[in-house]
Amino acid sequence: MLDSLGKTVLEPNPGHTPYRFSDGSQAAPRRVLQVAKVAQEAREATVGLALQGCIDHRKGVQGCGKVKAVGVDGATDSLARLARPEAGLAEMAIASLIDGTIKIAWKRLRHSAMDRSNRVPAEIKKKLVQAGGWWCLVGAFHRAPASG
């Protein structure tokens, strides 16, 4: 209910049922559709789209001296890594990400980075692949103690 100034007035609620507010204005249906559209877009947003939005924003403020070129380049490189088929994170909807998926993709990404590196000699790459889970190794192929 509205008072003479158009402000909401709560009516007595002796039964303690939840209050329900509705918008009776002519624009109300359009707002409902807009909210639904924005919610759907948010559910469908991918990691790649979000990171690309970040990159675009950084490029936009780079000219103002607020972001260095290296920051834009780093984000662009990160997007390229996440888009690798072995990582497969760029095309995933953010809303669908769970810990297990992220951890698996992160391990694949680490392996891909090592495999594609021009700084790791081929013989070392071969040994690391044979060791499996090489990112858990410390020193000369000794496993790190399990944390827990």
Side-chain angles (χ1 to χ4, degrees), residues 5-138:
L5 298 175
K7 294 186 179 182
T8 303
V9 176
L10 297 179
E11 296 179 347
N13 187 3
H16 302 290
T17 57
Y19 282 103
R20 212 170 264 277
F21 295 91
S22 62
D23 185 349
S25 69
Q26 291 179 346
R30 285 195 300 276
R31 280 195 290 270
V32 169
L33 291 174
Q34 288 171 338
V35 168
K37 180 181 177 194
V38 168
Q40 183 62 30
E41 289 171 354
R43 282 190 294 277
E44 295 173 355
T46 64
V47 172
L49 287 174
L51 191 50
Q52 186 61 57
C54 176
I55 293 166
D56 294 343
H57 173 73
R58 286 173 176 253
K59 284 180 180 177
V61 297
Q62 184 179 357
C64 304
K66 294 185 177 187
V67 173
K68 295 181 181 178
V70 69
V72 175
D73 294 343
T76 303
D77 291 345
S78 294
L79 178 56
R81 288 183 192 99
L82 294 175
R84 290 178 183 169
E86 54 269 32
L89 278 177
E91 296 303 316
M92 290 195 73
I94 295 169
S96 71
L97 293 176
I98 57 173
D99 285 352
T101 304
I102 295 169
K103 288 176 182 177
I104 289 168
W106 182 244
K107 288 175 183 178
R108 289 179 182 164
L109 189 57
R110 281 191 240 176
H111 183 78
S112 170
M114 181 274 297
D115 195 42
R116 293 174 181 230
S117 174
N118 61 356
R119 295 182 178 194
V120 179
E123 63 190 48
I124 298 297
K125 285 182 188 181
K126 184 178 178 184
K127 288 180 181 180
L128 291 173
V129 169
Q130 288 173 348
W134 57 267
W135 46 87
C136 297
L137 299 173
V138 292

